[in-house]
Amino acid sequence: MNITRRNFLIGGAATLGALGFYACTKKTNTKNLRCALAYSSDNFSPVANKETLSIVTNSYVYEGLYNLDHKTNRIYNGLAALDPIKIDSNHYEIVLKDNLRFSNGEALTAQDCVNSFSSFKKDGVFKYMLEPLYDINIKDNKTLIVSTIYDCGKILKDILAVFCVYSKDNLGSGPYAYQNIDSSKIEFCPNTYYEGKFPPVYEHMTFHIEKSDTERAKMLISDNVDVIENSQPDNIEKNGAKFESKESTSATYVRFNTNKHSLDIRQAILYSIDSQKIINECYFGKGSVADSVLPKTHEAYRRAKRTYTYNVIEAKKLVPPNYKIKLSIVDGFPKAFYGIIEDNLADVGFSIEYDDTNPDVEIIMGDTGMYTNNASIMMSYWYGAAYASLKMASF
């Protein structure tokens, strides 16, 4: 099957854009943080996980040589003591901080950095973002040599921020450590060995998994949690909570098995989806229909040359009656989302078979801004190794 990010149609395939983070908070407890989240995950690997929940929780547990500050969208030094030191156009030195340790107290070494990079380069979900890096080797116990396929200049730190460093037991060096993970919650405790920029604020954090919008709201109103996501703001604010939303690079998009479905069929699917209705009914109007893989607030934003807006008449011209698709929609969307998608596709004439094992059409969430704000690096996620091996620009 040939389902790849490279088959993603820019702008048209992204049915939602600039949704980002939005939550309600009613924080009264200063020692413990209790959240109720809409997503679940069964993979918390620092390398191979691709699910929204685990990517977020891992950001509390693991550090890279450099990391992205999501408040400022700027890269800051993580495990690296200094900015990269240029040796020549294809080689840079990275000096590590003193006394680095994992959350169990074991020393974090230059070898751990090399091993982690190798794993991300081979198996990481965002491995294409690392394509400009040829290799990382050890100069001495505190210094790494980064080899690049071209002069990465100002964006080297952004590229290095894509991978994190972990131990042989999958432990991290971030401000928190996993204390317990099960199907209903994730618990964190402070990493007492952490000496980085963002020391732990809470003595304990619990992220409850609750997929029901209604139940999350009840948990907040009854003071069983302090923060929830994806809930109706009007009802929550009446009970003393504060609603907050942030624009981001998060987008929902469609990807296809292009060997299975022709361009006409793919375009028909894109025309079928009423994105504005999804935003209004599932996200309370807090979002915008995507016309790019970047939000309009990003300095590198460019509107796609071709976009697909809701157009039933045009969609029906492109698809024969009762055309069958095997559809998969990832977990974590609001409940109403699934019904709207099904109704939209059925209205045009698609016959839907749900298949999470071997789909030929997938509706999925993607956020390339988890590790970088550099547009050129983000694009390598969508277009893969061929694009990433080209010289990236610094935005």
Side-chain angles (χ1 to χ4, degrees):
M1 186 167 66
N2 184 28
I3 296 182
T4 69
R5 289 183 295 275
R6 192 171 177 79
N7 297 325
F8 163 72
L9 304 176
I10 297 177
T15 61
L16 300 177
L19 278 175
F21 162 85
Y22 65 101
C24 296
T25 178
K26 197 177 180 183
K27 188 78 184 87
T28 57
N29 189 336
T30 57
K31 291 186 177 181
N32 301 315
L33 178 66
R34 306 163 301 167
C35 304
L37 305 181
Y39 310 105
S40 62
S41 177
D42 58 5
N43 181 1
F44 290 83
S45 161
V47 179
N49 82 83
K50 58 181 179 180
E51 297 166 333
T52 301
L53 176 65
S54 50
I55 289 175
V56 170
T57 59
N58 279 355
S59 68
Y60 291 95
V61 174
Y62 299 100
E63 289 183 285
L65 296 172
Y66 302 94
N67 302 309
L68 178 66
D69 183 340
H70 289 281
K71 289 185 177 180
T72 64
N73 280 330
R74 295 183 180 277
I75 300 293
Y76 67 93
N77 290 13
L79 302 173
L82 306 168
D83 286 353
I85 300 169
K86 188 172 184 177
I87 301 171
D88 57 44
S89 59
N90 296 97
H91 298 90
Y92 300 80
E93 282 190 1
I94 307 292
V95 178
L96 299 176
K97 293 178 179 177
D98 293 329
N99 198 35
L100 292 173
R101 296 189 179 277
F102 292 110
S103 57
N104 65 349
E106 290 183 3
L108 188 159
T109 67
Q111 187 64 57
D112 292 312
C113 298
V114 169
N115 293 344
S116 298
F117 170 76
S118 298
S119 296
F120 273 83
K121 182 80 168 173
K122 179 182 177 183
D123 300 317
V125 174
F126 297 96
K127 63 183 179 181
Y128 294 126
M129 294 181 176
L130 296 172
E131 280 293 318
L133 307 186
Y134 179 74
D135 206 355
I136 297 181
N137 292 291
I138 298 171
K139 178 181 179 181
D140 56 46
N141 61 0
K142 277 198 60 179
T143 311
L144 302 169
I145 301 294
V146 179
S147 302
T148 65
I149 63 174
Y150 54 77
D151 189 345
C152 292
K154 296 179 181 178
I155 67 169
L156 180 58
K157 287 170 59 175
D158 294 79
I159 299 171
L160 289 168
V162 171
F163 82 95
C164 67
V165 177
Y166 62 97
S167 74
K168 63 181 183 298
D169 299 316
N170 280 355
L171 296 176
S173 59
Y176 292 90
Y178 286 123
Q179 188 175 36
N180 177 63
I181 299 175
D182 60 41
S183 60
S184 64
K185 64 182 180 300
I186 300 118
E187 295 179 275
F188 306 81
C189 60
N191 173 10
T192 56
Y193 297 98
Y194 178 77
E195 296 183 356
K197 183 177 180 180
F198 297 106
V201 176
Y202 302 107
E203 295 178 5
H204 189 264
M205 295 198 306
T206 305
F207 289 4
H208 296 276
I209 311 304
E210 179 51 70
K211 297 181 182 180
S212 166
D213 297 351
T214 302
E215 291 303 314
R216 287 196 306 278
K218 287 180 180 178
M219 292 172 76
L220 184 69
I221 292 169
S222 61
D223 288 329
N224 288 324
V225 295
D226 308 301
V227 181
I228 62 174
E229 64 174 346
N230 293 12
S231 289
Q232 173 68 347
D234 293 343
N235 295 337
I236 297 298
E237 288 180 319
K238 291 177 182 177
N239 289 275
K242 177 185 177 183
F243 178 83
E244 185 175 356
S245 63
K246 298 289 184 182
E247 198 167 71
S248 83
T249 53
S250 176
T252 299
Y253 63 98
V254 185
R255 63 183 183 180
F256 308 93
N257 180 346
T258 55
N259 292 330
K260 176 71 174 178
H261 300 303
S262 68
L263 177 60
D264 282 353
I265 298 301
R266 301 197 303 267
Q267 290 179 327
I269 290 172
L270 298 176
Y271 280 126
S272 300
I273 298 173
D274 190 345
S275 301
Q276 192 58 57
K277 183 176 182 179
I278 290 172
I279 291 169
N280 292 342
E281 297 189 11
C282 299
Y283 298 101
F284 322 113
K286 303 294 183 180
S288 58
V289 179
D291 58 11
S292 169
V293 294
L294 296 172
K296 290 182 175 63
T297 53
H298 197 286
E299 60 184 334
Y301 164 81
R302 299 292 185 274
R303 190 178 190 275
K305 288 184 177 180
R306 182 162 190 174
T307 60
Y308 294 84
T309 54
Y310 180 54
N311 190 329
V312 175
I313 295 174
E314 189 65 30
K316 287 183 175 180
K317 293 178 182 178
L318 298 170
V319 61
N322 298 314
Y323 185 90
K324 185 176 179 180
I325 60 174
K326 291 184 178 181
L327 177 65
S328 174
I329 305 177
V330 298
D331 191 24
F333 289 110
K335 185 177 180 180
F337 180 95
Y338 302 89
I340 293 173
I341 293 292
E342 184 171 335
D343 290 344
N344 284 167
L345 294 173
D347 288 346
V348 169
F350 286 102
S351 173
I352 303 169
E353 176 187 340
Y354 287 98
D355 186 343
D356 292 332
T357 304
N358 191 31
D360 46 52
V361 178
E362 290 184 293
I363 297 178
I364 191 169
M365 290 175 281
D367 189 350
T368 55
M370 280 299 302
Y371 303 106
T372 180
N373 192 48
N374 182 280
S376 190
I377 300 173
M378 291 182 197
M379 292 305 294
S380 65
Y381 172 80
W382 299 112
Y383 285 105
Y387 173 88
S389 63
L390 301 174
K391 188 170 183 179
M392 295 181 180
S394 178
F395 289 100

